[in-house]
Amino acid sequence: MRPARKRVAALISGRGSNMLSLMAAAKHPDYPAEIALVLSNKLDAAGLATARDAGIAAVALNHKDHESREAFERTMQAVLEEHAIDLICLAGFMRLLTPWFVGQWQGRMLNIHPALLPSYRGLHTHERALEDGVKIHGATVHFVVPEMDAGPIIAQAAVPVVDGDTPETLGARVLRQEHVIYPLALKLVASGATRIDGNRVTTGERASERLLIVPTPV
Ligand code: GRF
Protein backbone atom coordinates (compact mmCIF):
# COMPACT_ATOMS: atom_id res chain seq x y z
CA MET A 1 0.00 0.00 0.00
CA ARG A 2 1.19 3.51 -0.80
CA PRO A 3 2.04 5.69 2.23
CA ALA A 4 -0.57 8.39 2.92
CA ARG A 5 0.04 11.54 0.95
CA LYS A 6 1.09 14.55 2.98
CA ARG A 7 -1.59 17.22 3.28
CA VAL A 8 -0.17 20.52 2.08
CA ALA A 9 -1.44 24.06 2.53
CA ALA A 10 -0.32 26.61 -0.06
CA LEU A 11 -0.21 30.11 1.40
CA ILE A 12 -0.63 32.84 -1.20
CA SER A 13 -1.22 36.56 -1.54
CA GLY A 14 -1.60 36.94 -5.30
CA ARG A 15 -1.74 35.24 -8.66
CA GLY A 16 -0.67 31.82 -7.36
CA SER A 17 1.31 30.46 -10.31
CA ASN A 18 3.58 28.46 -7.99
CA MET A 19 0.51 27.12 -6.21
CA LEU A 20 -0.74 25.97 -9.62
CA SER A 21 2.51 24.18 -10.37
CA LEU A 22 2.19 22.31 -7.06
CA MET A 23 -1.43 21.45 -7.81
CA ALA A 24 -0.44 20.15 -11.25
CA ALA A 25 2.31 17.94 -9.81
CA ALA A 26 -0.01 16.63 -7.09
CA LYS A 27 -2.48 15.39 -9.72
CA HIS A 28 -0.13 12.49 -10.31
CA PRO A 29 -1.21 9.60 -8.05
CA ASP A 30 2.42 8.76 -7.21
CA TYR A 31 3.18 12.28 -5.99
CA PRO A 32 3.66 12.09 -2.19
CA ALA A 33 1.64 15.21 -1.37
CA GLU A 34 -1.78 16.67 -2.08
CA ILE A 35 -2.75 20.33 -1.97
CA ALA A 36 -5.47 20.14 0.66
CA LEU A 37 -5.89 23.84 1.37
CA VAL A 38 -5.13 27.22 -0.14
CA LEU A 39 -4.98 30.05 2.34
CA SER A 40 -4.66 33.71 1.38
CA ASN A 41 -4.28 36.89 3.40
CA LYS A 42 -5.77 38.82 0.47
CA LEU A 43 -9.46 38.41 -0.14
CA ASP A 44 -9.03 39.10 -3.86
CA ALA A 45 -6.04 36.83 -4.52
CA ALA A 46 -6.52 35.36 -7.99
CA GLY A 47 -5.28 31.98 -6.78
CA LEU A 48 -8.32 31.52 -4.51
CA ALA A 49 -10.74 31.16 -7.40
CA THR A 50 -8.31 28.88 -9.23
CA ALA A 51 -8.13 26.60 -6.20
CA ARG A 52 -11.90 26.53 -5.70
CA ASP A 53 -12.39 25.69 -9.38
CA ALA A 54 -10.10 22.73 -8.82
CA GLY A 55 -12.18 21.59 -5.85
CA ILE A 56 -9.58 22.56 -3.26
CA ALA A 57 -10.62 24.23 0.01
CA ALA A 58 -9.70 27.90 -0.26
CA VAL A 59 -9.82 30.25 2.72
CA ALA A 60 -9.17 34.00 2.77
CA LEU A 61 -8.25 35.63 6.06
CA ASN A 62 -7.77 39.36 6.08
CA HIS A 63 -4.75 40.12 8.23
CA LYS A 64 -6.11 43.65 8.68
CA ASP A 65 -9.01 42.24 10.70
CA HIS A 66 -6.57 41.11 13.38
CA GLU A 67 -5.07 43.26 16.08
CA SER A 68 -1.55 41.89 15.74
CA ARG A 69 0.61 39.76 13.49
CA GLU A 70 0.44 36.87 15.94
CA ALA A 71 -3.34 37.16 16.35
CA PHE A 72 -3.62 36.72 12.57
CA GLU A 73 -1.27 33.75 12.68
CA ARG A 74 -3.26 32.12 15.50
CA THR A 75 -6.34 32.27 13.28
CA MET A 76 -4.32 30.76 10.42
CA GLN A 77 -3.00 28.05 12.72
CA ALA A 78 -6.56 27.10 13.71
CA VAL A 79 -7.55 26.77 10.04
CA LEU A 80 -4.44 24.72 9.27
CA GLU A 81 -5.21 22.38 12.16
CA GLU A 82 -8.84 22.11 11.14
CA HIS A 83 -7.67 20.86 7.74
CA ALA A 84 -5.11 18.48 9.30
CA ILE A 85 -2.25 20.06 7.38
CA ASP A 86 1.17 18.37 7.48
CA LEU A 87 3.27 20.77 5.41
CA ILE A 88 3.06 24.42 4.37
CA CYS A 89 4.29 25.81 1.06
CA LEU A 90 4.62 29.58 1.04
CA ALA A 91 3.88 30.55 -2.54
CA GLY A 92 4.09 34.30 -2.87
CA PHE A 93 2.75 34.86 0.65
CA MET A 94 3.60 38.47 1.38
CA ARG A 95 3.46 38.52 5.18
CA LEU A 96 6.41 38.31 7.52
CA LEU A 97 5.94 35.44 9.95
CA THR A 98 6.64 35.59 13.69
CA PRO A 99 9.08 33.23 15.38
CA TRP A 100 6.04 31.73 17.13
CA PHE A 101 4.39 30.67 13.86
CA VAL A 102 7.67 29.54 12.30
CA GLY A 103 8.30 27.46 15.43
CA GLN A 104 4.99 25.63 14.96
CA TRP A 105 6.13 24.51 11.51
CA GLN A 106 9.84 23.97 11.97
CA GLY A 107 11.10 21.65 9.23
CA ARG A 108 7.57 21.51 7.78
CA MET A 109 7.31 24.88 6.03
CA LEU A 110 8.87 25.63 2.61
CA ASN A 111 9.30 28.89 0.75
CA ILE A 112 10.27 29.77 -2.80
CA HIS A 113 12.40 32.82 -3.39
CA PRO A 114 13.19 34.28 -6.83
CA ALA A 115 16.98 34.43 -6.45
CA LEU A 116 19.92 32.19 -5.70
CA LEU A 117 20.03 32.55 -1.93
CA PRO A 118 21.88 33.71 0.06
CA SER A 119 22.19 36.41 -2.64
CA TYR A 120 19.35 38.85 -3.06
CA ARG A 121 17.16 38.30 -0.08
CA GLY A 122 14.07 40.52 0.01
CA LEU A 123 12.22 42.19 -2.82
CA HIS A 124 13.08 43.30 -6.38
CA THR A 125 15.56 40.49 -6.88
CA HIS A 126 15.59 40.64 -10.69
CA GLU A 127 16.19 44.40 -10.79
CA ARG A 128 19.02 44.06 -8.30
CA ALA A 129 20.64 41.17 -10.16
CA LEU A 130 20.59 43.19 -13.39
CA GLU A 131 22.02 46.25 -11.64
CA ASP A 132 24.88 44.15 -10.31
CA GLY A 133 25.56 42.65 -13.72
CA VAL A 134 25.56 39.05 -12.51
CA LYS A 135 25.56 36.44 -15.26
CA ILE A 136 23.75 33.73 -13.33
CA HIS A 137 20.50 34.20 -11.44
CA GLY A 138 17.79 31.82 -10.34
CA ALA A 139 15.43 30.59 -7.68
CA THR A 140 15.65 28.77 -4.36
CA VAL A 141 13.33 26.55 -2.35
CA HIS A 142 14.25 26.48 1.33
CA PHE A 143 12.91 25.57 4.73
CA VAL A 144 11.57 28.58 6.59
CA VAL A 145 13.37 29.90 9.66
CA PRO A 146 12.54 33.09 11.60
CA GLU A 147 15.00 35.16 9.55
CA MET A 148 13.48 36.26 6.23
CA ASP A 149 14.67 34.44 3.06
CA ALA A 150 17.10 32.32 5.02
CA GLY A 151 16.99 28.69 6.08
CA PRO A 152 18.29 25.35 4.83
CA ILE A 153 18.22 25.17 1.03
CA ILE A 154 16.35 22.25 -0.51
CA ALA A 155 16.66 22.98 -4.25
CA GLN A 156 17.93 25.68 -6.58
CA ALA A 157 17.63 26.46 -10.27
CA ALA A 158 20.19 28.60 -12.05
CA VAL A 159 19.38 30.53 -15.22
CA PRO A 160 21.59 32.74 -17.38
CA VAL A 161 21.26 36.50 -17.54
CA VAL A 162 21.46 37.55 -21.18
CA ASP A 163 22.11 40.77 -23.06
CA GLY A 164 19.03 42.91 -23.27
CA ASP A 165 17.34 41.31 -20.28
CA THR A 166 14.85 43.44 -18.38
CA PRO A 167 13.52 42.59 -14.93
CA GLU A 168 10.46 41.21 -16.74
CA THR A 169 12.28 38.91 -19.17
CA LEU A 170 14.67 37.69 -16.50
CA GLY A 171 11.81 37.27 -14.01
CA ALA A 172 9.83 35.21 -16.52
CA ARG A 173 12.85 32.95 -17.14
CA VAL A 174 13.29 32.45 -13.40
CA LEU A 175 9.55 31.87 -12.84
CA ARG A 176 9.49 29.03 -15.38
CA GLN A 177 12.14 27.28 -13.31
CA GLU A 178 10.35 28.06 -10.04
CA HIS A 179 7.51 25.99 -11.42
CA VAL A 180 9.93 23.10 -11.89
CA ILE A 181 11.86 23.17 -8.62
CA TYR A 182 9.02 23.83 -6.20
CA PRO A 183 7.17 20.59 -7.03
CA LEU A 184 10.50 18.80 -7.02
CA ALA A 185 11.47 20.14 -3.58
CA LEU A 186 8.05 19.39 -2.12
CA LYS A 187 8.30 15.86 -3.47
CA LEU A 188 11.64 15.35 -1.72
CA VAL A 189 10.31 16.69 1.59
CA ALA A 190 6.93 14.93 1.47
CA SER A 191 8.52 11.60 0.62
CA GLY A 192 10.79 11.89 3.66
CA ALA A 193 13.98 12.04 1.55
CA THR A 194 15.31 15.22 3.15
CA ARG A 195 17.42 15.49 6.30
CA ILE A 196 18.30 18.85 7.83
CA ASP A 197 21.78 19.12 9.30
CA GLY A 198 22.43 22.69 10.41
CA ASN A 199 22.10 24.76 7.28
CA ARG A 200 22.47 21.79 4.97
CA VAL A 201 19.74 19.64 3.53
CA THR A 202 20.78 16.20 2.35
CA THR A 203 18.75 13.82 0.25
CA GLY A 204 21.02 10.82 -0.06
CA GLU A 205 21.10 9.32 -3.51
CA ARG A 206 18.58 11.86 -4.83
CA ALA A 207 21.03 14.76 -4.49
CA SER A 208 21.12 15.40 -8.25
CA GLU A 209 17.41 16.22 -8.24
CA ARG A 210 18.03 19.36 -6.24
CA LEU A 211 20.03 21.47 -8.65
CA LEU A 212 18.73 22.55 -11.96
CA ILE A 213 20.89 24.46 -14.39
CA VAL A 214 19.23 25.98 -17.40
CA PRO A 215 22.01 26.52 -19.93
CA THR A 216 20.31 28.54 -22.64
CA PRO A 217 17.65 31.20 -22.51
CA VAL A 218 14.23 29.95 -23.46
C1 GRF B 1 7.34 34.19 -7.02
O1 GRF B 1 8.27 34.89 -7.76
C2 GRF B 1 7.99 33.59 -5.80
O2 GRF B 1 9.33 33.24 -6.00
C3 GRF B 1 7.90 34.72 -4.79
O3 GRF B 1 6.67 35.32 -5.04
C4 GRF B 1 6.29 35.11 -6.39
C5 GRF B 1 4.93 34.47 -6.35
O4 GRF B 1 4.37 34.29 -7.61
N1 GRF B 1 8.06 34.23 -3.45
P1 GRF B 1 3.09 33.39 -7.80
O5 GRF B 1 1.98 34.01 -6.95
O6 GRF B 1 3.41 32.01 -7.34
O7 GRF B 1 2.77 33.45 -9.25
Side-chain angles (χ1 to χ4, degrees):
M1 220 177 75
R2 271 199 203 106
R5 308 208 304 161
K6 295 279 188 256
R7 292 175 61 78
V8 174
L11 269 52
I12 64 168
S13 300
R15 69 188 157 178
S17 73
N18 277 288
M19 170 204 84
L20 261 183
S21 76
L22 297 174
M23 279 166 48
K27 277 196 185 136
H28 197 288
D30 286 338
Y31 196 77
E34 61 177 304
I35 309 306
L37 173 68
V38 172
L39 216 160
S40 169
N41 68 317
K42 297 268 188 201
L43 306 187
D44 58 353
L48 285 169
T50 318
R52 286 193 191 113
D53 288 349
I56 294 173
V59 175
L61 292 173
N62 190 349
H63 60 272
K64 292 181 185 153
D65 292 344
H66 296 76
E67 64 186 13
S68 68
R69 202 174 280 280
E70 192 170 317
F72 167 66
E73 291 175 344
R74 287 196 183 269
T75 308
M76 277 208 305
Q77 182 69 16
V79 175
L80 293 163
E81 283 171 12
E82 196 181 305
H83 288 265
I85 295 304
D86 301 304
L87 295 168
I88 292 178
C89 286
L90 302 180
F93 187 66
M94 300 304 281
R95 296 291 298 163
L96 288 176
L97 298 168
T98 67
W100 172 77
F101 187 78
V102 174
Q104 304 301 307
W105 294 93
Q106 199 178 358
R108 297 191 298 144
M109 178 156 56
L110 286 62
N111 181 42
I112 185 147
H113 182 72
L116 288 173
L117 290 174
S119 294
Y120 305 116
R121 291 175 175 162
L123 298 174
H124 309 300
T125 55
H126 311 310
E127 285 87 338
R128 288 154 60 207
L130 287 172
E131 264 164 34
D132 285 345
V134 298
K135 298 297 177 221
I136 297 174
H137 187 46
T140 303
V141 182
H142 62 95
F143 285 109
V144 176
V145 295
E147 193 185 341
M148 191 186 68
D149 298 332
I153 291 171
I154 304 161
Q156 291 188 303
V159 305
V161 179
V162 300
D163 292 356
D165 258 342
T166 63
E168 290 70 34
T169 58
L170 180 56
R173 192 175 307 124
V174 170
L175 189 64
R176 275 196 290 278
Q177 301 314 316
E178 292 185 32
H179 297 161
V180 177
I181 58 167
Y182 213 175
L184 198 153
L186 175 60
K187 182 180 171 186
L188 289 171
V189 174
S191 65
T194 50
R195 295 278 170 277
I196 305 175
D197 179 12
N199 250 331
R200 299 180 69 175
V201 175
T202 55
T203 49
E205 75 275 16
R206 295 170 69 177
S208 60
E209 287 179 43
R210 297 190 294 129
L211 172 65
L212 220 106
I213 298 172
V214 180
T216 48
V218 279

